[in-house]
């Protein structure tokens, strides 16, 4: 059976596929989920375009949704993805499914300095847990645990934990959001949708009328200085992200370092570095000194999920024999 491995990074809007061949990730393609009734149809078309190298012998895919018994459903699509069915349909020796941020966690050992933008801190503690968080369409968080030669990634649903307020102004904005949502999760503020929620709440607290803006327009207006509410929104976003990152770092004792992924902060690294992110990250009272040395990096390299899928395949599959682990 072929040594080629099908890699898939499957979201509600886009399905990205690649082939791992001889240790090299190649043939990266982006397909629209809505264009295909099932994932089988998308994979069949992708593989047909790259049939010259031979059919893959295994598959590792991450999906934007929870995984149970190697089976998952996309949050924003009708696709149901079942590892056992993929294995049989494409004659694979193994087909493994991961949560999307689990794949990001597995990518961390493969990142290089030129993939990163530093955000303070000194040297990481070797062998300590490493945290990765990511505000994008939603909010993801995972922790890479090096272990004793047998690494693993702890998957979380941290985005749905309660958003904290650390200042009176944050509390006022949070109160406005609570009027709308009841429970205000981290994801309600620290995501693309979250930027829009915070923008509306800041305007309400300040008693100003602002035009409707999506996340991209809010970010643009903040960066060019054309809208004070957008600037206040982005400033609060950065500070809130620092507070949440600090909380999760303490939760996991992540002295191995913290990585910020996701689609939003890499768009404005210099602004992010000048923001209150780092101050809020370290502002934990008696544990300020614990957090101060921990290095934080912004991940600027695109498509890191494929690095994570490759790392997972090479680290875990040989030890498990391809069998799913729960």
């Amino acid at each position: 059976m072929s040594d080629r491995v099908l890699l898939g990074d499957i979201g509600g809007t886009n399905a990205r596929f690649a082939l791992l061949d001889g240790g090299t990730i190649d043939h990266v393609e982006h397909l629209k989920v809505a264009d295909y009734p099932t994932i089988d149809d998308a994979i069949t078309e992708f593989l047909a375009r790259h049939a010259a190298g031979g059919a893959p012998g295994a598959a590792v895919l991450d999906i934007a949704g929870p995984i149970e018994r190697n089976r998952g459903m996309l949050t924003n699509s009708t696709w149901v993805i079942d590892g056992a069915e993929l294995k049989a349909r494409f004659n694979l020796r193994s087909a493994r499914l991961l949560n999307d941020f689990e794949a990001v966690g597995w990518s961390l050992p493969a990142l290089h300095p030129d993939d990163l933008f530093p955000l303070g801190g000194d040297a990481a503690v070797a062998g300590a847990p490493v945290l990765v968080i990511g505000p994008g369409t939603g909010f993801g968080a995972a922790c890479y645990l090096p272990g004793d030669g047998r690494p693993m990634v702890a998957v979380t649903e941290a985005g749905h934990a309660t958003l904290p307020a650390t200042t009176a102004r944050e509390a006022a904005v949070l109160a406005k959001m609570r009027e709308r949502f009841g429970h205000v999760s981290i994801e309600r503020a620290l995501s693309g949708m979250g930027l829009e929620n915070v923008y509306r709440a800041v305007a309400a607290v300040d008693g100003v009328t602002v035009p409707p803006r999506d996340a991209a327009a809010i970010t643009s207006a903040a960066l060019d200085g054309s809208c004070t509410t957008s600037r206040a929104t982005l400033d609060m976003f950065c500070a809130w992200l620092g507070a949440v990152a600090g909380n999760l770092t303490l939760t996991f004792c992540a002295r191995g370092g913290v990585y910020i992924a996701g689609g939003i902060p890499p768009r404005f690294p210099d602004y992010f570095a000048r923001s209150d992110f780092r101050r809020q990250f370290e502002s934990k009272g008696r544990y300020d000194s614990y957090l101060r040395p921990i290095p934080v990096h912004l991940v600027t390299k695109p498509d890191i999920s494929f690095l994570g899928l490759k790392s997972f395949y090479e680290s875990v599959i040989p030890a498990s024999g391809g069998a799913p682990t729960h």
Side-chain angles (χ1 to χ4, degrees):
M1 190 172 283
S2 170
D3 288 333
R4 263 184 155 190
V5 181
L6 172 68
L7 306 180
D9 177 29
I10 316 299
T13 302
N14 295 301
R16 299 182 302 149
F17 294 105
L19 288 167
L20 177 63
D21 201 347
T24 300
I25 298 168
D26 203 358
H27 305 300
V28 176
E29 287 192 23
H30 293 209
L31 305 180
K32 293 291 185 184
V33 169
D35 291 344
Y36 302 88
T38 69
I39 191 171
D40 286 8
D41 298 308
I43 292 173
T44 298
E45 182 173 307
F46 171 76
L47 293 179
R49 283 197 285 271
H50 306 288
V60 185
L61 296 86
D62 72 75
I63 72 170
I67 307 293
E68 287 192 20
R69 300 184 181 277
N70 209 32
R71 187 177 190 271
M73 177 180 291
L74 292 177
T75 303
N76 297 308
S77 169
T78 58
W79 280 12
V80 176
I81 306 171
D82 187 297
E85 291 178 3
L86 290 178
K87 179 181 176 181
R89 168 70 177 80
F90 294 99
N91 192 29
L92 305 169
R93 61 178 173 270
S94 67
R96 297 288 297 275
L97 305 185
L98 283 68
N99 170 268
D100 56 347
F101 241 76
E102 185 177 4
V104 173
W106 279 104
S107 78
L108 299 182
L111 295 176
H112 299 287
D114 56 357
D115 300 328
L116 307 169
F117 185 96
L119 295 168
D122 301 315
V125 175
V130 183
L131 174 70
V132 59
I133 64 174
T137 302
F139 181 92
C143 188
Y144 178 81
L145 305 168
D148 186 16
R150 298 190 66 182
M152 65 173 290
V153 173
V155 184
T156 81
E157 289 293 347
H160 302 289
T162 304
L163 180 70
T166 63
T167 67
R169 182 162 172 78
E170 286 179 356
V173 170
L174 187 56
K176 288 294 181 184
M177 295 172 67
R178 195 175 291 120
E179 289 174 8
R180 181 181 178 195
F181 297 113
H183 176 254
V184 180
S185 66
I186 290 169
E187 189 170 278
R188 292 291 193 189
L190 300 181
S191 62
M193 166 195 69
L195 272 171
E196 298 166 25
N197 295 335
V198 175
Y199 174 75
R200 284 191 288 266
V202 167
V205 168
D206 292 343
V208 298
T209 301
V210 293
R213 287 187 168 99
D214 63 13
I218 292 166
T219 302
S220 178
L223 296 177
D224 66 21
S226 61
C227 173
T228 55
T229 300
S230 294
R231 175 65 66 91
T233 297
L234 195 61
D235 287 344
M236 187 170 288
F237 174 93
C238 295
W240 244 329
L241 186 58
V244 168
N247 286 349
L248 291 171
T249 301
L250 290 176
T251 299
F252 286 104
C253 296
R255 300 177 73 193
V258 177
Y259 293 81
I260 312 297
I264 299 176
R267 298 181 182 181
F268 46 91
D270 293 320
Y271 187 98
F272 193 68
R274 294 193 302 269
S275 75
D276 270 352
F277 169 85
R278 185 77 206 193
R279 183 183 65 81
Q280 286 286 68
F281 173 78
E282 296 177 5
S283 183
K284 301 299 178 190
R286 291 173 293 170
Y287 266 66
D288 287 3
S289 58
Y290 181 93
L291 288 161
R292 197 169 298 124
I294 296 176
V296 180
H297 292 91
L298 188 63
V299 180
T300 56
K301 182 179 177 64
D303 291 345
I304 61 171
S305 291
F306 288 134
L307 292 177
L309 295 172
K310 175 180 183 289
S311 178
F312 176 85
Y313 178 79
E314 294 174 345
S315 300
V316 176
I317 297 297
S320 68
T325 55
H326 308 299

